[in-house]
Amino acid sequence: MSGRAHLMWDQAVTAYDFGPEHPMDPVRLALTMRLVEELGIDKAVDVVAAPAAGESTLRLVHRQDYIDAVRRASEAPAEADPSYGLGTVDDPAFVGMHEASALIAGQSVAAAESVWDGRAVHAVNFAGGLHHAMPGAASGFCVYNDAALAIARLLELGVERVAYVDVDVHHGDGVQAAFWDDPRVLTISVHEHPSTLFPQTGWPEETGGSGAEGQAVNVALPAGTGDAGWLRAFHAVVPELLASWGPQVLVSQHGADTHAEDPLAHLAVSLDAQRAVMETCHALAHEHADGRWLALGGGGYAVVDVVPRSWAHLCAISAGHPVLPATEVPESWRAEALRRTGQQAPYRMTDGRDASWADWDAGYDPGSPLDRAVRAARRTAFPAHGLLP
């Protein structure tokens, strides 16, 4: 390994733009990269731009008829076919949709390749993590599923065990679906309960298809869960499964929409808890995957207050040069954020929270909805891995 992380970045990924009224504003990507530069994180990584994913790569996950539909919508948005999830409220068609989506996918695929062949110790594509896209349809702001494509490429290269850990507030349904019957992939999603949030999947009973029982793990958390509960749930499930599974590569998705200020969901997690999970994923990659770690972005719609700080921390942690929470946000970046969005930006790289939790071994509380959610996930998935629930 080179000893340095790869940060995948091409300014052209900001062309992934559903329009001015859509919550997934590409300014979140531009502001993240600008904050990375202002904090000097880019000096500790290799900034790499990869080509767009070609059709043979896209077909590792997506159907040819769907790729063709995306191409047609990309050329003539008004003629997008909603039977493919295109031209909808969530996924409006836009000129250049195929090219921008394939470019984001190409960054994640190239990042996976660099981690597997040793050119990079870790890799980050914060423009990626588009985990809702299905093999034959766009969904939930996602056109091509770069996370699933990166995993499929790893399998094509001969990797036998990939772990995918998704901590976006929404269930990682597209990645789960892509590998539902594949025993080589372990998908773990920690998300808001499907009874209160899109995509209404990710129930603990969803545990994998025939021959892959126990390979899908879903931790569905009650709305309102805050730092202590979110961290307790993560640590009660993820480390034990990874230790048992022994992945050769860890792929993680770090949607920032778990945050209390996110306008599209109902958890109450802080930036400090998000950072703590990033650090844990980094450590778990070294403990169980020889350090091979691909980290992706995902959701996140507080585009000034939360997303840039969260993903700047992710980049810094992957670089081995974490940014201290008390670090001041550069005034020049705050001015840029104000100029571009009209919003005042935070002053520090922290929400001032203590990211602590009670360990699962400290005891189970049957009266706690959080503990019942964790217990449900452990009961349905752990026995297939020889673990006690």
Side-chain angles (χ1 to χ4, degrees), residues 45-324:
V45 298
D46 293 331
V47 179
V48 178
E55 288 218 356
S56 62
T57 297
L58 294 174
R59 286 197 302 268
L60 292 174
V61 169
H62 295 290
R63 299 197 319 248
Q64 184 65 55
D65 62 310
Y66 172 61
I67 299 169
D68 293 341
V70 175
R71 283 188 176 277
R72 290 193 299 270
S74 186
E75 295 170 358
E79 300 174 15
D81 187 345
S83 70
Y84 289 103
L86 302 169
T88 63
V89 172
D90 277 0
D91 295 272
F94 59 90
V95 173
M97 170 186 272
H98 167 78
E99 290 77 12
S101 303
L103 183 61
I104 291 173
Q107 308 312 302
S108 292
V109 170
E113 292 172 343
S114 67
V115 167
W116 179 242
D117 68 22
R119 282 175 290 150
V121 59
H122 310 311
V124 177
N125 178 23
F126 58 76
L130 304 180
H131 61 167
H132 293 308
M134 293 293 177
S139 179
F141 313 164
C142 305
V143 178
Y144 293 139
N145 195 320
D146 65 287
L149 288 163
I151 294 169
R153 177 58 176 150
L154 288 169
L155 298 177
E156 187 178 51
L157 291 171
V159 180
E160 297 175 348
R161 294 181 310 283
V162 180
Y164 173 74
V165 175
D166 188 318
V167 295
D168 194 284
V169 76
H170 302 90
H171 176 228
D173 57 337
V175 182
Q176 176 180 285
F179 303 105
W180 182 251
D181 296 311
D182 196 327
R184 298 171 296 175
V185 181
L186 171 67
T187 64
I188 308 172
S189 182
V190 183
H191 51 266
E192 184 178 330
H193 199 279
S195 65
T196 56
L197 194 66
F198 174 90
Q200 286 79 49
T201 59
W203 299 81
E205 293 77 16
E206 298 170 29
T207 57
S210 177
E213 295 85 354
Q215 293 303 103
V217 182
N218 287 292
V219 188
L221 304 178
T225 297
D227 287 1
W230 192 65
L231 292 169
R232 176 171 167 81
F234 180 92
H235 285 273
V237 174
V238 176
E240 199 169 348
L241 282 170
L242 293 191
S244 172
W245 174 239
Q248 293 167 287
V249 182
L250 173 61
V251 179
S252 57
Q253 196 268 23
H254 298 269
D257 45 8
T258 52
H259 197 277
E261 293 182 19
D262 195 273
L264 299 189
H266 318 100
L267 296 190
V269 173
S270 73
L271 181 73
D272 304 282
Q274 291 178 344
R275 181 181 183 276
V277 162
M278 294 168 188
E279 289 188 316
T280 299
C281 286
H282 181 210
L284 290 170
H286 282 282
E287 289 173 25
H288 305 301
D290 292 327
R292 299 185 189 96
W293 180 35
L294 167 58
L296 305 171
Y301 309 101
V303 299
V304 173
D305 284 353
V306 179
V307 175
R309 292 188 299 157
S310 185
W311 292 346
H313 275 304
L314 182 63
C315 295
I317 289 165
S318 73
H321 295 276
V323 172
L324 294 176

